[in-house]
Amino acid sequence: MPTNSNILGIDIGSVSISAVEMAPNKKITGTYYQFHQGKITETLKNILEQLDLRRICGIASTSSTPQILKTNRQYDNRVAIMKACRFFYGPVNAILIVGGEKFGLIRFDEKGNYLNFKANTSCAAGTGSFLDQ
């Protein structure tokens, strides 16, 4: 029988839901991604049905995730993206974020320290959705 030691991370964005299950040794044991087409609750239920919830001891989410999901901890979207990039790729010079609402660029200096973040204005909203089409 599985023990409940894994963490489930969830990001609910403007066009999709992403989830990752991670073991205590930081090994990713499952990933899930689905467009929600405005049906957030139904899509989230569909993703959760694919999991063995007996393995999960806690749920973390990004700050864009609506309050329909009770989580143990919530993280700023940009901080989550920076940590994930460093985990998978090591030091990077920049990260381009393409979402359903905006484009963003996170820049780092030569030592890997955060420099700044720049994003488009709201008049370019929907650019990520446009790219999905």
Side-chain angles (χ1 to χ4, degrees), residues 2-123:
T3 61
N4 61 340
S5 59
N6 290 359
I7 299 291
L8 179 63
I10 296 178
D11 173 54
I12 300 177
S14 57
V15 296
S16 64
I17 300 176
S18 303
V20 62
E21 183 180 345
M22 183 177 281
N25 64 359
K26 297 187 179 180
K27 180 181 180 209
I28 294 176
T29 59
T31 61
Y32 312 86
Y33 181 85
Q34 200 169 347
F35 291 105
H36 57 64
Q37 299 173 335
K39 299 175 184 171
I40 295 171
T41 303
E42 294 89 346
T43 305
L44 181 59
K45 284 180 183 177
N46 183 42
I47 289 173
L48 293 176
E49 287 171 356
Q50 298 176 53
L51 296 164
D52 181 353
L53 296 176
R54 295 173 298 169
R55 294 189 307 233
I56 306 300
C57 70
I59 299 174
S61 68
T62 57
S63 55
S64 64
T65 299
Q67 297 300 316
I68 63 165
L69 181 67
K70 182 177 166 122
T71 62
N72 299 93
R73 190 159 282 184
Q74 197 168 54
Y75 295 92
D76 178 82
N77 287 21
R78 281 180 265 171
V79 172
I81 289 169
M82 289 187 292
K83 294 291 265 181
C85 283
R86 287 182 175 148
F87 178 79
F88 287 108
Y89 305 108
V92 294
N93 294 327
I95 302 168
L96 178 63
I97 303 168
V98 180
E101 295 176 2
K102 62 182 147 194
F103 282 95
L105 180 66
I106 301 171
R107 294 183 335 134
F108 303 94
D109 66 17
E110 62 280 347
K111 294 181 181 177
N113 297 313
Y114 175 83
L115 279 176
N116 61 14
F117 173 76
K118 299 210 183 230
N120 61 290
T121 61
S122 60
C123 63

